[in-house]
Amino acid sequence: MRAQAAAWGILAVSCSDLQQATLDADGSTVGATVSASADGVVVSESSDSTAASTHSDDTGGGTAVTTTVSDSSSTGGTSLGISDSSSDSSSDSSSTAGTETTTGDTGAEQPSCGTPQTLCHGPAVTVDPQCGAPRSAGVGDFDNDGNLDVVVACEDSDNVVIMLGDGMGGLAIGSTIGTGAESRPAEVIVLDLDNDGNADVATANRDGHSVTVLYGFGNGVVGNLVEHDTSDRTQGLAAGDLDGNGYLDIVAAVRDQHGISIFRDDAMGGLTSEIEVEDDTSRRPESVFLAQLDDQPGLDAAWASEQDDRIVIHFGDGAGALGAPTTLTAEGSPSQISGGDFDGDGDIDLVVANRDDDTISYYQSNGNGTFAGQVVTGVGDQPNWLTVADVDNDGALDILTADQGHGTVTVLLGSGDGLFIAATPLDVGGAVYAVTTGDLNGDEIPDIIAVEASTLRLMLSTPG
């Protein structure tokens, strides 16, 4: 079976990741513009960025997602740089946010990037998005200058902030756009909903009971707000072409509903009304992930049921519908779900963060829609978020968790065969609500972006 789609989120990217970019065994950059294509799953790569590697579906069914990873640039506003100001051959970190400056000497020289299972990221430095309660971030090129930018969802101020990148690790506030009155956006993803080549934004609105779409103009600004109602509090989002028509659909995790909701595209850049997909035995979905999880064409949906400690999977028919639920056992309060090809067999495996048990659960795919029993690994305190990327640049996917209780990002470095070395905590400072990655400094190695209670904390790669 061929790997077809994965985390955007943020990708979803996300964003995840997208949540979360499509991820494969040769390494990928999470955080990208997701767009649909009629020709299969491909990756468009700029000359100075690393993109995820995927395969096109030549078995029919028409499911297709294109992930574009690029970099972005701007000047002015909030900025961040890495330099050696102490003449001691080590890296110093400096951040400017308005009139407040934070500087710290990183001390010892960082290890060389590309060494298998070795991190090469500097200490966390602060960038202030100047908004109320940042809760998640996504990555994409909003001004089409070839450098990655960052969009932040701000819960208390009911808006998103686009921070324009300079291609060297610096970020400057470009624009601030509302997501709707009392919407309280919990998650943001970057996508291209109208297929115009510009990065758009969608947010899951916790109190607004809605999904907000903001369309990109290609100049660093998004607008033309459209708010789509959901049946209850909306917690997470994923995007993918469920019906194979070349336009993206959105799937939402609706927290107090027994399942997820589909917003099908209208083939003109918009979305149709909510279609609820329920599992009466599972409650409180925290997040949702789209990928081809079986050996049939078409995207499938997996979501984390926080209240019932399980993963719920709905297999897609390639025409936009999702089937009856099947379940996998998880640990205490599974929150964020993602996936990728961790063992190099071409199939998408699943991974979920278990918030109450301070663990992650890894499910190795059998390639036919079934999964091996969960492998549980300890991480930091209260892992609230999870993303997947190749942060050590060795060609194998790694797992990162945002540990809200510890104020850390925990990294599990993958070996490419489904195994991970011992967890490495990276100190962020305060409660960490989300984590994503993207190549902000143009060295083709994913940098780490942690979302704190009031700021972003960046850990930039420093190749030796």
Side-chain angles (χ1 to χ4, degrees), residues 227-292:
E227 198 165 354
H228 302 272
D229 292 336
T230 60
S231 57
D232 218 307
R233 294 160 60 90
T234 309
Q235 190 76 16
L237 294 178
D241 187 3
L242 295 175
D243 53 8
N245 70 344
Y247 286 84
L248 291 176
D249 311 294
I250 289 180
V251 179
V254 183
R255 182 177 172 85
D256 295 323
Q257 176 181 305
H258 292 283
I260 55 179
S261 293
I262 301 173
F263 291 88
R264 294 273 297 274
D265 71 87
D266 62 6
M268 296 182 292
L271 298 173
T272 58
S273 298
E274 176 186 31
I275 302 171
E276 296 183 21
V277 181
E278 295 191 345
D279 172 18
D280 291 338
T281 65
S282 304
R283 292 157 290 180
R284 295 182 70 175
E286 284 284 296
S287 61
V288 60
F289 172 75
L290 297 180
Q292 184 183 346

Side-chain angles (χ1 to χ4, degrees), residues 9 72 111 114 118 120 138 161 163 176 225 265 287 311 317 324 395 408 452:
S72 64
T118 301
C120 62
V161 177
M163 307 190 74
T176 300
L225 181 151
D265 71 87
S287 61
I311 306 304
D317 64 0
T408 57
E452 246 189 353

Side-chain angles (χ1 to χ4, degrees), residues 75-97:
T75 58
T78 303
S79 62
L80 166 70
I82 299 290
S83 62
D84 182 15
S85 60
S86 57
S87 301
D88 60 357
S89 300
S90 64
S91 294
D92 300 321
S93 58
S94 176
S95 173
T96 303

Side-chain angles (χ1 to χ4, degrees), residues 229-385:
D229 292 336
T230 60
S231 57
D232 218 307
R233 294 160 60 90
T234 309
Q235 190 76 16
L237 294 178
D241 187 3
L242 295 175
D243 53 8
N245 70 344
Y247 286 84
L248 291 176
D249 311 294
I250 289 180
V251 179
V254 183
R255 182 177 172 85
D256 295 323
Q257 176 181 305
H258 292 283
I260 55 179
S261 293
I262 301 173
F263 291 88
R264 294 273 297 274
D265 71 87
D266 62 6
M268 296 182 292
L271 298 173
T272 58
S273 298
E274 176 186 31
I275 302 171
E276 296 183 21
V277 181
E278 295 191 345
D279 172 18
D280 291 338
T281 65
S282 304
R283 292 157 290 180
R284 295 182 70 175
E286 284 284 296
S287 61
V288 60
F289 172 75
L290 297 180
Q292 184 183 346
L293 300 176
D294 58 9
D295 53 3
Q296 301 299 312
L299 294 181
D300 311 307
W303 54 276
S305 172
E306 180 194 35
Q307 186 165 328
D308 297 288
D309 298 343
R310 63 181 61 162
I311 306 304
V312 182
I313 301 173
H314 300 269
F315 293 103
D317 64 0
L322 296 175
T326 62
T327 60
L328 302 172
T329 300
E331 297 301 299
S333 297
S335 53
Q336 193 75 11
I337 187 170
S338 189
D341 185 7
F342 295 102
D343 55 5
D345 64 357
D347 303 321
I348 298 296
D349 312 304
L350 293 174
V351 62
V352 65
N354 303 307
R355 181 165 45 220
D356 287 355
D357 281 5
D358 305 337
T359 62
I360 64 163
S361 293
Y362 166 63
Y363 305 85
Q364 191 172 41
S365 173
N366 296 320
N368 59 359
T370 66
F371 294 82
Q374 64 174 325
V375 177
V376 180
T377 302
V379 290
D381 185 25
Q382 295 180 17
N384 190 61
W385 199 277

Side-chain angles (χ1 to χ4, degrees), residues 69-150:
V69 180
S70 56
D71 297 332
S72 64
S73 174
S74 178
T75 58
T78 303
S79 62
L80 166 70
I82 299 290
S83 62
D84 182 15
S85 60
S86 57
S87 301
D88 60 357
S89 300
S90 64
S91 294
D92 300 321
S93 58
S94 176
S95 173
T96 303
T99 58
E100 181 180 355
T101 301
T102 303
T103 303
D105 193 328
T106 65
E109 185 176 327
Q110 297 298 318
S112 175
C113 291
T115 303
Q117 299 183 341
T118 301
L119 284 174
C120 62
H121 294 72
V125 292
T126 301
V127 173
D128 185 0
Q130 299 181 16
C131 68
R135 285 298 176 262
S136 74
V139 182
D141 184 2
F142 289 96
D143 53 3
N144 290 329
D145 66 352
N147 301 317
L148 280 182
D149 311 310
V150 176

